[in-house]
Amino acid sequence: MTRSLDSLAEVAGDFDAIVLDQWGVLHDGTDPYPGAVEAVERLKGVTRLAVLSNSGKRADLNRDRIATKGFAPGLFDIVMTSGEALWLDLLAQNTAIKLYPIEGAAGDAARWADGLDVTLVDDVARADAILLMGLPDKADTATYEATLATADGLPVYCTNPDRASPRAGGVTVTSPGALAHAHAKAGGNVTFYGKPHVPIFRAVERALGATSDRLLMVGDSFEHDIAGGYSAGWSTAFVESGLYADRISGTDRLRTVGNLAHEKGAPPPTYTLRSLA
């Protein structure tokens, strides 16, 4: 049964590390959530902290981005991203590859590819694979759907499996995972990096030197944070103020959270809390 918490501090001492999602938990893409910085600073004195994000960018860039929101880099023992996981895989393969990038902003893919034997091409026909790492917030998804439709069996590496992401003012935007899942359902060849896929949770365990039963995943996505953490054998905590903030109101929060988890095909979280604050 899910337990309601007023603060993660109530259970922080029970874990070797608390692993936090980024968007929807620490910040909304623009600003930190009220009280989130202070909450993380308090937790740092109790247990180790990490960030696990379905971001197509490298880990160092995300550490820097988090710092611009007011979270000092030293707060987190590690930052792991899905983009980092693919980068490490390609580095280990040590094979030249041509990628057609779909990115959130011009230059994202070039910065990500630094250090790899990767050539970025502007024609799908010349590519060995498609790198689906981001979408502009106001993207015309039909354009990208058409691009994927021309892939004709070409591998697609999706480094952001999220279907949607929260933004400032309660806005939700389409994320790359929505396109990737639709493409896979239509028979496309898609490899997903990031949550809820267990390998990225194992990568965090190795980096922290911790076992699954001593880790807590904190996130606002039932499909990625809660389901992924559960599959990896971690405890999970759902943050109500993120992606599903407009669905949770009233006094019977536990019932609502349970219903949402069922609706999304995820197990109920171990804990639920309104926000990090």
Side-chain angles (χ1 to χ4, degrees):
M1 167 140 348
T2 300
R3 173 183 166 189
S4 178
L5 301 176
D6 291 324
S7 166
L8 286 177
E10 296 174 43
V11 296
D14 297 336
F15 299 97
D16 290 340
I18 292 177
V19 183
L20 301 152
D21 181 34
Q22 190 177 168
W23 278 271
V25 174
L26 298 177
H27 61 80
D28 62 12
T30 302
D31 299 305
Y33 287 109
V37 173
E38 294 78 9
V40 171
E41 289 173 344
R42 289 193 295 271
L43 290 171
K44 180 64 176 177
V46 180
T47 188
R48 290 184 293 166
L49 299 174
V51 174
L52 176 55
S53 177
N54 277 358
S55 167
K57 296 183 176 67
R58 295 286 309 281
D60 284 349
L61 283 175
N62 277 274
R63 187 184 290 273
D64 292 343
R65 173 187 286 168
I66 295 167
T68 68
K69 312 300 182 190
F71 299 90
L75 287 173
F76 304 107
D77 289 76
I78 67 162
V79 173
M80 177 63 70
T81 67
S82 43
E84 184 79 8
L86 173 59
W87 191 94
L88 291 170
D89 267 8
L90 293 179
L91 181 68
Q93 292 171 22
N94 193 29
T95 302
I97 187 171
K98 296 178 181 177
L99 296 177
Y100 177 89
I102 298 176
E103 55 193 348
D108 282 352
R111 285 187 287 272
W112 169 85
D114 185 41
L116 296 175
D117 193 359
V118 166
T119 301
L120 300 176
V121 298
D122 57 7
D123 182 356
V124 175
R126 295 174 50 219
D128 299 315
I130 293 175
L131 172 63
L132 177 52
M133 66 179 299
L135 295 174
D137 280 359
K138 297 181 180 179
D140 177 6
T141 57
T143 300
Y144 300 104
E145 289 166 357
T147 298
L148 292 177
T150 67
D152 192 26
L154 207 62
V156 175
Y157 298 125
C158 178
T159 55
N160 185 343
D162 288 354
R163 298 172 190 261
S165 296
R167 292 292 186 267
V171 174
T172 299
V173 299
T174 301
S175 290
L179 297 182
H181 282 285
H183 185 60
K185 187 175 181 180
N189 178 9
V190 180
T191 299
F192 291 94
Y193 281 82
K195 302 170 289 184
H197 307 283
V198 170
I200 201 163
F201 290 89
R202 297 291 179 249
V204 173
E205 291 173 11
R206 290 191 296 271
L208 288 170
T211 57
S212 58
D213 61 320
R214 296 289 297 171
L215 293 170
L216 175 66
M217 179 71 226
V218 182
D220 69 323
S221 168
F222 290 105
E223 297 169 279
H224 300 108
D225 303 311
I226 305 306
Y230 177 85
S231 295
W234 297 16
S235 296
T236 58
F238 174 68
V239 176
E240 301 166 16
S241 58
L243 192 58
Y244 297 101
D246 62 341
R247 300 282 302 274
I248 302 175
S249 61
T251 56
D252 200 355
R253 292 164 44 230
L254 285 175
R255 180 185 295 274
T256 302
V257 169
N259 288 341
L260 279 170
H262 179 75
E263 176 186 316
K264 299 301 176 181
T270 314
Y271 310 106
T272 188
L273 65 161
R274 293 188 185 277
S275 68
L276 284 189

